[in-house]
Short mmCIF file of all heavy atoms in Angstrom, two decimals:
data_model
loop_
_atom_site.label_atom_id
_atom_site.label_comp_id
_atom_site.label_asym_id
_atom_site.label_seq_id
_atom_site.Cartn_x
_atom_site.Cartn_y
_atom_site.Cartn_z
N THR X 24 10.93 23.91 -20.45
CA THR X 24 11.34 24.33 -19.15
C THR X 24 12.73 24.92 -19.10
O THR X 24 13.03 25.73 -18.20
CB THR X 24 11.27 23.15 -18.13
OG1 THR X 24 12.09 22.11 -18.63
CG2 THR X 24 9.82 22.66 -17.98
N ALA X 25 13.59 24.66 -20.11
CA ALA X 25 14.92 25.19 -20.16
C ALA X 25 14.82 26.76 -20.27
O ALA X 25 15.76 27.45 -19.78
CB ALA X 25 15.73 24.63 -21.29
N THR X 26 13.72 27.30 -20.86
CA THR X 26 13.68 28.76 -20.99
C THR X 26 13.45 29.36 -19.59
O THR X 26 13.90 30.42 -19.27
CB THR X 26 12.47 29.16 -21.92
OG1 THR X 26 11.25 28.82 -21.35
CG2 THR X 26 12.73 28.65 -23.30
N VAL X 27 12.71 28.63 -18.73
CA VAL X 27 12.51 29.07 -17.35
C VAL X 27 13.82 29.00 -16.60
O VAL X 27 14.19 29.92 -15.84
CB VAL X 27 11.44 28.29 -16.65
CG1 VAL X 27 11.31 28.67 -15.13
CG2 VAL X 27 10.09 28.43 -17.30
N GLU X 28 14.63 27.92 -16.80
CA GLU X 28 15.95 27.88 -16.18
C GLU X 28 16.83 29.02 -16.55
O GLU X 28 17.52 29.61 -15.74
CB GLU X 28 16.65 26.54 -16.51
CG GLU X 28 16.08 25.37 -15.85
CD GLU X 28 16.83 24.10 -16.19
OE1 GLU X 28 16.53 23.47 -17.27
OE2 GLU X 28 17.85 23.78 -15.52
N ALA X 29 16.81 29.31 -17.85
CA ALA X 29 17.58 30.43 -18.38
C ALA X 29 17.16 31.79 -17.74
O ALA X 29 17.92 32.66 -17.33
CB ALA X 29 17.58 30.57 -19.85
N ALA X 30 15.81 31.97 -17.63
CA ALA X 30 15.24 33.11 -17.00
C ALA X 30 15.66 33.26 -15.54
O ALA X 30 16.06 34.34 -15.03
CB ALA X 30 13.72 33.20 -17.18
N LEU X 31 15.61 32.13 -14.77
CA LEU X 31 16.02 32.17 -13.43
C LEU X 31 17.50 32.47 -13.29
O LEU X 31 17.87 33.10 -12.32
CB LEU X 31 15.67 30.75 -12.77
CG LEU X 31 14.21 30.52 -12.59
CD1 LEU X 31 13.97 29.11 -12.11
CD2 LEU X 31 13.59 31.49 -11.57
N ALA X 32 18.30 32.06 -14.25
CA ALA X 32 19.68 32.46 -14.29
C ALA X 32 20.00 33.83 -14.75
O ALA X 32 21.08 34.32 -14.62
CB ALA X 32 20.49 31.39 -15.12
N GLY X 33 18.93 34.48 -15.27
CA GLY X 33 19.14 35.84 -15.81
C GLY X 33 19.85 35.93 -17.15
O GLY X 33 20.36 36.99 -17.49
N THR X 34 19.85 34.82 -17.86
CA THR X 34 20.56 34.75 -19.14
C THR X 34 19.67 35.10 -20.29
O THR X 34 18.72 34.43 -20.61
CB THR X 34 21.17 33.30 -19.31
OG1 THR X 34 21.86 32.98 -18.13
CG2 THR X 34 22.00 33.20 -20.52
N PRO X 35 20.04 36.10 -21.12
CA PRO X 35 19.35 36.51 -22.30
C PRO X 35 19.35 35.34 -23.22
O PRO X 35 20.35 34.53 -23.26
CB PRO X 35 20.13 37.75 -22.82
CG PRO X 35 20.86 38.30 -21.63
CD PRO X 35 21.16 37.07 -20.74
N MET X 36 18.35 35.24 -24.11
CA MET X 36 18.24 34.05 -25.02
C MET X 36 17.44 34.29 -26.17
O MET X 36 16.72 35.26 -26.33
CB MET X 36 17.59 32.92 -24.17
CG MET X 36 16.16 33.11 -23.88
SD MET X 36 15.38 31.95 -22.75
CE MET X 36 15.43 32.87 -21.26
N VAL X 37 17.57 33.33 -27.06
CA VAL X 37 16.64 33.15 -28.20
C VAL X 37 16.04 31.76 -28.04
O VAL X 37 16.77 30.85 -27.73
CB VAL X 37 17.35 33.23 -29.54
CG1 VAL X 37 16.42 32.82 -30.65
CG2 VAL X 37 17.77 34.67 -29.87
N ILE X 38 14.70 31.63 -28.19
CA ILE X 38 14.10 30.35 -28.00
C ILE X 38 13.87 29.78 -29.36
O ILE X 38 13.45 30.47 -30.33
CB ILE X 38 12.70 30.54 -27.34
CG1 ILE X 38 12.83 31.06 -25.90
CG2 ILE X 38 11.94 29.18 -27.30
CD1 ILE X 38 11.51 31.49 -25.26
N ILE X 39 14.16 28.48 -29.49
CA ILE X 39 13.96 27.74 -30.77
C ILE X 39 13.14 26.52 -30.49
O ILE X 39 13.09 25.99 -29.40
CB ILE X 39 15.30 27.34 -31.40
CG1 ILE X 39 16.04 26.39 -30.55
CG2 ILE X 39 16.11 28.54 -31.80
CD1 ILE X 39 17.32 25.75 -31.22
N TYR X 40 12.29 26.21 -31.51
CA TYR X 40 11.48 24.96 -31.41
C TYR X 40 11.32 24.47 -32.79
O TYR X 40 10.90 25.16 -33.75
CB TYR X 40 10.05 25.21 -30.85
CG TYR X 40 9.22 24.01 -30.96
CD1 TYR X 40 9.41 22.98 -30.00
CD2 TYR X 40 8.31 23.85 -31.98
CE1 TYR X 40 8.55 21.81 -30.12
CE2 TYR X 40 7.59 22.66 -32.09
CZ TYR X 40 7.76 21.66 -31.14
OH TYR X 40 7.00 20.49 -31.34
N ARG X 41 11.68 23.19 -32.98
CA ARG X 41 11.47 22.54 -34.26
C ARG X 41 11.08 21.18 -34.03
O ARG X 41 11.77 20.35 -33.49
CB ARG X 41 12.76 22.59 -35.09
CG ARG X 41 12.56 22.09 -36.52
CD ARG X 41 13.76 22.41 -37.26
NE ARG X 41 13.53 22.14 -38.68
CZ ARG X 41 14.29 22.47 -39.62
NH1 ARG X 41 15.38 23.08 -39.39
NH2 ARG X 41 14.02 22.09 -40.86
N GLY X 42 9.81 20.80 -34.38
CA GLY X 42 9.35 19.48 -34.22
C GLY X 42 8.94 18.80 -35.47
O GLY X 42 9.24 19.35 -36.59
N SER X 43 8.18 17.79 -35.39
CA SER X 43 7.71 17.13 -36.57
C SER X 43 6.82 18.02 -37.45
O SER X 43 5.91 18.65 -36.87
CB SER X 43 6.89 15.83 -36.12
OG SER X 43 5.93 15.50 -37.07
N GLU X 44 7.08 18.08 -38.68
CA GLU X 44 6.29 18.96 -39.56
C GLU X 44 4.84 18.57 -39.58
O GLU X 44 3.94 19.41 -39.61
CB GLU X 44 6.90 18.94 -41.00
CG GLU X 44 6.21 19.86 -41.92
CD GLU X 44 6.45 21.33 -41.59
OE1 GLU X 44 7.55 21.66 -41.00
OE2 GLU X 44 5.68 22.20 -41.91
N LEU X 45 4.55 17.20 -39.53
CA LEU X 45 3.15 16.74 -39.53
C LEU X 45 2.51 17.23 -38.27
O LEU X 45 1.39 17.73 -38.32
CB LEU X 45 3.20 15.21 -39.62
CG LEU X 45 1.81 14.57 -39.56
CD1 LEU X 45 0.88 15.04 -40.62
CD2 LEU X 45 1.93 13.07 -39.53
N ASN X 46 3.11 17.06 -37.17
CA ASN X 46 2.50 17.46 -35.88
C ASN X 46 2.19 18.99 -35.89
O ASN X 46 1.18 19.47 -35.43
CB ASN X 46 3.31 17.15 -34.69
CG ASN X 46 3.28 15.62 -34.34
OD1 ASN X 46 2.45 14.93 -34.77
ND2 ASN X 46 4.28 15.29 -33.48
N TRP X 47 3.20 19.76 -36.37
CA TRP X 47 3.08 21.19 -36.48
C TRP X 47 1.92 21.55 -37.30
O TRP X 47 1.03 22.45 -36.96
CB TRP X 47 4.37 21.82 -37.04
CG TRP X 47 4.36 23.34 -37.06
CD1 TRP X 47 4.16 24.11 -38.12
CD2 TRP X 47 4.53 24.22 -35.89
NE1 TRP X 47 4.22 25.44 -37.69
CE2 TRP X 47 4.47 25.51 -36.39
CE3 TRP X 47 4.75 24.01 -34.54
CZ2 TRP X 47 4.61 26.67 -35.58
CZ3 TRP X 47 4.92 25.11 -33.75
CH2 TRP X 47 4.82 26.40 -34.25
N ARG X 48 1.72 20.98 -38.47
CA ARG X 48 0.61 21.34 -39.37
C ARG X 48 -0.69 20.94 -38.74
O ARG X 48 -1.73 21.54 -39.01
CB ARG X 48 0.79 20.63 -40.73
CG ARG X 48 1.87 21.31 -41.49
CD ARG X 48 2.05 20.59 -42.84
NE ARG X 48 3.21 21.15 -43.59
CZ ARG X 48 3.20 21.30 -44.81
NH1 ARG X 48 2.20 20.93 -45.58
NH2 ARG X 48 4.24 21.79 -45.39
N LEU X 49 -0.72 19.84 -38.01
CA LEU X 49 -2.00 19.36 -37.41
C LEU X 49 -2.36 20.17 -36.22
O LEU X 49 -3.58 20.59 -36.05
CB LEU X 49 -1.87 17.86 -37.02
CG LEU X 49 -1.83 16.87 -38.18
CD1 LEU X 49 -1.52 15.45 -37.51
CD2 LEU X 49 -3.09 16.91 -38.95
N ILE X 50 -1.38 20.51 -35.34
CA ILE X 50 -1.68 21.17 -34.04
C ILE X 50 -1.74 22.68 -34.18
O ILE X 50 -2.49 23.31 -33.50
CB ILE X 50 -0.69 20.66 -33.00
CG1 ILE X 50 -0.92 19.19 -32.79
CG2 ILE X 50 -0.83 21.40 -31.72
CD1 ILE X 50 0.14 18.56 -31.92
N ARG X 51 -0.83 23.31 -34.99
CA ARG X 51 -0.74 24.73 -35.02
C ARG X 51 -1.96 25.45 -35.24
O ARG X 51 -2.27 26.44 -34.51
CB ARG X 51 0.31 25.16 -36.05
CG ARG X 51 0.51 26.68 -36.17
CD ARG X 51 0.95 27.22 -34.85
NE ARG X 51 1.08 28.66 -34.84
CZ ARG X 51 0.40 29.49 -34.06
NH1 ARG X 51 -0.43 29.01 -33.17
NH2 ARG X 51 0.56 30.73 -34.12
N PRO X 52 -2.91 25.07 -36.10
CA PRO X 52 -4.17 25.77 -36.32
C PRO X 52 -5.07 25.72 -35.10
O PRO X 52 -5.91 26.60 -35.00
CB PRO X 52 -4.87 25.01 -37.54
CG PRO X 52 -3.78 24.28 -38.20
CD PRO X 52 -2.72 24.00 -37.17
N LEU X 53 -4.84 24.82 -34.19
CA LEU X 53 -5.67 24.71 -32.93
C LEU X 53 -5.20 25.56 -31.87
O LEU X 53 -5.91 25.82 -30.89
CB LEU X 53 -5.75 23.24 -32.50
CG LEU X 53 -6.16 22.20 -33.49
CD1 LEU X 53 -6.01 20.79 -32.90
CD2 LEU X 53 -7.69 22.46 -33.89
N ILE X 54 -3.96 26.05 -31.94
CA ILE X 54 -3.37 26.90 -30.84
C ILE X 54 -3.58 28.34 -31.18
O ILE X 54 -3.16 28.84 -32.20
CB ILE X 54 -1.86 26.51 -30.73
CG1 ILE X 54 -1.75 25.06 -30.42
CG2 ILE X 54 -1.26 27.35 -29.63
CD1 ILE X 54 -0.28 24.59 -30.50
N GLN X 55 -4.16 29.07 -30.29
CA GLN X 55 -4.45 30.48 -30.45
C GLN X 55 -3.54 31.34 -29.65
O GLN X 55 -3.93 32.45 -29.22
CB GLN X 55 -5.94 30.74 -30.07
CG GLN X 55 -6.96 29.93 -30.81
CD GLN X 55 -6.93 30.23 -32.28
OE1 GLN X 55 -6.84 31.39 -32.72
NE2 GLN X 55 -6.83 29.22 -33.11
N LEU X 56 -2.33 30.98 -29.50
CA LEU X 56 -1.32 31.75 -28.78
C LEU X 56 -0.42 32.51 -29.80
O LEU X 56 -0.08 32.04 -30.85
CB LEU X 56 -0.41 30.86 -27.95
CG LEU X 56 -1.17 30.05 -26.86
CD1 LEU X 56 -0.14 29.09 -26.16
CD2 LEU X 56 -1.77 31.01 -25.84
N ASP X 57 -0.02 33.70 -29.33
CA ASP X 57 0.93 34.51 -30.12
C ASP X 57 2.36 34.17 -29.79
O ASP X 57 3.32 34.53 -30.50
CB ASP X 57 0.76 35.99 -29.76
CG ASP X 57 -0.61 36.48 -30.18
OD1 ASP X 57 -1.19 35.97 -31.20
OD2 ASP X 57 -1.13 37.39 -29.50
N THR X 58 2.55 33.42 -28.72
CA THR X 58 3.93 33.11 -28.22
C THR X 58 3.82 31.75 -27.61
O THR X 58 2.83 31.24 -27.16
CB THR X 58 4.45 34.16 -27.24
OG1 THR X 58 5.74 33.93 -26.97
CG2 THR X 58 3.60 34.21 -25.98
#
């Protein structure tokens, strides 16, 4: 949701996400999103 807050403020950004490697490997193949 912080990305929405930044957008509402009009602030340019780079989005980062780093979670558990295990969760990423398990869940990523199930997600069909490009973003």
Side-chain angles (χ1 to χ4, degrees):
T24 56
T26 67
V27 176
E28 286 183 271
L31 291 172
T34 306
M36 71 189 98
V37 168
I38 298 171
I39 61 172
Y40 173 81
R41 189 170 187 169
S43 154
E44 188 66 29
L45 176 62
N46 284 347
W47 183 257
R48 288 180 185 216
L49 291 173
I50 294 172
R51 179 60 184 120
L53 304 174
I54 301 172
Q55 301 299 313
L56 297 174
D57 298 327
T58 188

